[in-house]
């Protein structure tokens, strides 16, 4: 019932050079303006002008935090401590991104909102035992901070209150560094600090194998145009990469470097998560977004740092189980710059 008293709103973080809008509905980044090589600002996030389209389910997980468990759980089932749990099969035959009403479809509380030189906002959500089929109460916080002129940090934490539970939060923004309304991202270049990926079955669930990217269309260990080999991977990229070779700073690993050749905007992403889902907007189809822009296939790319998909059912994948009174902690650093 609490959701009915709470209102979905949009909040702004602005440090003079980056302008970010974030909603308490799903902790959703609705807009992010950064300069190009000429200092010209553009909004590099796909989304909508107001909260209403998000509330009505427009788009597919645009800009939000997904949970309790991001990505796919095979057949919507898992067993933990001898108990079998059944989840909503909202993307048949699997459960996706937390079920029918995951964290992306909840109004979070705003517990801190700082308009300082390093502006930040902290959202909090309490997920109850049995919600969408998951065990135990879980308290979740997410803090977005503009840590420098062109850097944003996201810190996600979750505490399991009384039962062991799988937890895997992911930030699902669709990026287009040329501007949200500029068409396909296939001419963006990307490097991924991943020597391995997890191949998937016909329903996009990992088979359990961890395979070298070498000599495959999945190899982005050197910078490569996204569209170069995309026709060799079906609809496009929608795969989990194993972050196993990135340099580190402040405890975070280098995930990806994305470069857009015309604007020369660059995004470097860092995380402490073991994997990243690289998704090229394969199912985007005629979505009317901000300013009437129409988003088509490949209009944006997602870099969702995460635990591996279906890890709860794959003993050889890093565990995503959080024990009672233990804390899940997941950070992402988005560093924007302009290429020389």
């Amino acid at each position: 019932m609490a959701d009915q008293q709470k209102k979905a709103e949009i909040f702004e973080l602005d440090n003079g050079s980056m302008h970010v809008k974030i909603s308490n509905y799903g902790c959703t980044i609705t807009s992010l303006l950064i300069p190009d090589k000429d200092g010209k600002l553009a909004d590099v996030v796909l989304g909508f002008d107001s909260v209403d389209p998000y509330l009505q389910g427009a788009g597919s997980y645009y800009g939000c935090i997904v949970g309790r468990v991001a990505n796919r759980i095979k057949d919507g089932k898992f067993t933990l401590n001898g108990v079998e749990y059944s989840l909503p099969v909202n993307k048949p035959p699997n459960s996706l991104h937390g079920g029918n009403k995951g964290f992306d479809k909840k109004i979070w509380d705003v517990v801190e909102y700082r308009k300082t030189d390093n502006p930040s906002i902290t959202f909090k959500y309490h997920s109850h035992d049995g919600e969408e089929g998951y065990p135990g109460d879980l308290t979740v916080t997410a803090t977005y901070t503009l840590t420098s002129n062109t850097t944003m940090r996201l810190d996600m934490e979750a505490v399991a209150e009384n039962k062991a539970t799988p937890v895997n939060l992911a930030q699902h923004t669709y990026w287009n560094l040329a501007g949200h309304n500029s068409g396909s991202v296939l001419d963006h270049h990307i490097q991924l600090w991943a020597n391995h990926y997890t191949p998937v079955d016909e329903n996009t669930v990992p088979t359990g194998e961890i395979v070298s990217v070498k000599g495959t269309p999945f190899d982005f260990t050197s910078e490569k145009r996204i569209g170069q080999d995309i026709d060799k991977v079906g609809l496009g990229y929608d795969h989990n990469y194993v972050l196993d070779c990135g340099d580190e700073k402040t405890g975070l690993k280098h995930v990806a470097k994305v470069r857009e050749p015309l604007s020369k905007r660059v995004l470097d992403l860092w995380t402490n998560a073991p994997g990243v889902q690289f998704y090229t907007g394969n199912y985007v189809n005629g979505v009317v977004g901000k300013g009437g822009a129409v988003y088509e296939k490949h209009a944006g790319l997602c870099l969702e740092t995460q635990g591996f998909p279906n890890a709860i059912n794959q003993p050889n994948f890093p565990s995503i189980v959080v024990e009672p009174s233990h804390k899940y902690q997941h950070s992402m650093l988005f560093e924007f710059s302009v290429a020389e």
Side-chain angles (χ1 to χ4, degrees):
M1 292 300 288
D3 272 13
Q4 284 157 2
Q5 283 98 50
K6 295 183 202 168
K7 187 162 157 266
E9 299 175 73
I10 291 175
F11 301 85
E12 293 192 37
L13 300 180
D14 191 333
N15 61 8
S17 52
M18 272 177 90
H19 313 271
V20 187
K21 292 182 179 176
I22 306 169
S23 177
N24 58 335
Y25 183 70
C27 297
T28 299
I29 299 171
T30 65
S31 171
L32 192 150
L33 276 79
I34 47 160
D36 70 0
K37 62 184 192 306
D38 302 317
K40 181 167 167 263
L41 289 174
D43 186 350
V44 297
V45 165
L46 274 58
F48 306 99
D49 288 314
S50 70
V51 292
D52 293 342
Y54 297 98
L55 292 166
Q56 290 153 15
S60 183
Y61 303 103
Y62 282 23
C64 58
I65 290 177
V66 292
R68 181 177 302 198
V69 175
N71 219 301
R72 289 158 183 83
I73 292 181
K74 187 174 182 175
D75 300 328
K77 285 187 170 32
F78 68 90
T79 299
L80 184 58
N81 295 336
V83 180
E84 186 179 279
Y85 295 93
S86 289
L87 312 172
V89 175
N90 59 318
K91 178 86 174 175
N94 306 307
S95 190
L96 177 68
H97 291 330
N100 292 322
K101 196 174 178 188
F103 295 177
D104 63 298
K105 296 178 182 68
K106 302 288 185 178
I107 295 178
W108 297 46
D109 293 318
V110 177
V111 291
E112 190 174 50
Y113 184 24
R114 294 170 57 219
K115 297 183 178 182
T116 57
D117 290 346
N118 300 115
S120 69
I121 189 163
T122 300
F123 300 101
K124 187 174 189 176
Y125 176 66
H126 182 80
S127 175
H128 62 80
D129 182 21
E131 185 178 309
E132 295 296 312
Y134 287 97
D137 293 296
L138 190 75
T139 301
V140 193
T141 59
T143 301
Y144 292 92
T145 309
L146 303 190
T147 51
S148 78
N149 277 356
T150 52
T151 306
M152 178 176 73
R153 184 179 173 113
L154 169 59
D155 293 295
M156 296 174 272
E157 292 189 347
V159 176
E161 306 282 340
N162 40 30
K163 288 182 187 172
T165 181
V167 180
N168 186 18
L169 307 181
Q171 216 297 337
H172 206 297
T173 292
Y174 290 74
W175 303 97
N176 186 323
L177 296 183
H180 75 99
N181 54 353
S182 61
S184 162
V185 294
L186 295 188
D187 285 334
H188 284 50
H189 292 239
I190 190 168
Q191 181 175 359
L192 295 171
W193 275 268
N195 287 325
H196 298 82
Y197 79 108
T198 52
V200 293
D201 66 16
E202 66 280 6
N203 297 311
T204 328
V205 174
T207 60
E209 302 163 280
I210 295 173
V211 173
S212 171
V213 297
K214 200 177 165 81
T216 76
F218 298 99
D219 189 347
F220 289 96
T221 50
S222 306
E223 185 185 285
K224 185 171 82 176
R225 185 177 155 270
I226 289 174
Q228 183 176 311
D229 297 319
I230 201 167
D231 57 345
K232 299 175 187 155
V233 294
L235 288 172
Y237 296 98
D238 191 5
H239 297 77
N240 173 64
Y241 282 78
V242 180
L243 299 172
D244 54 7
C245 58
D247 45 321
E248 281 201 25
K249 68 172 181 187
T250 62
L252 304 180
K253 293 174 291 196
H254 212 163
V255 176
K257 184 185 205 83
V258 185
R259 181 174 66 85
E260 199 285 305
L262 295 176
S263 68
K264 294 201 163 18
R265 288 189 188 91
V266 174
L267 166 59
D268 279 283
L269 177 61
W270 305 73
T271 193
N272 61 346
V276 63
Q277 190 83 3
F278 175 43
Y279 173 53
T280 48
N282 311 326
Y283 303 105
V284 178
N285 180 11
V287 176
V288 180
K290 286 176 276 194
V294 179
Y295 305 140
E296 299 291 359
K297 188 177 181 183
H298 307 316
L301 66 94
C302 301
L303 290 164
E304 307 156 53
T305 58
Q306 61 180 3
F308 297 179
N310 197 39
I312 191 67
N313 292 313
Q314 286 292 354
N316 61 315
F317 285 0
S319 173
I320 61 162
V321 175
V322 178
E323 296 294 339
S325 75
H326 286 223
K327 186 186 280 187
Y328 163 96
Q329 202 276 328
H330 177 185
S331 295
M332 303 175 80
L333 192 68
F334 304 87
E335 277 188 323
F336 298 96
S337 60
V338 173
E340 295 300 318

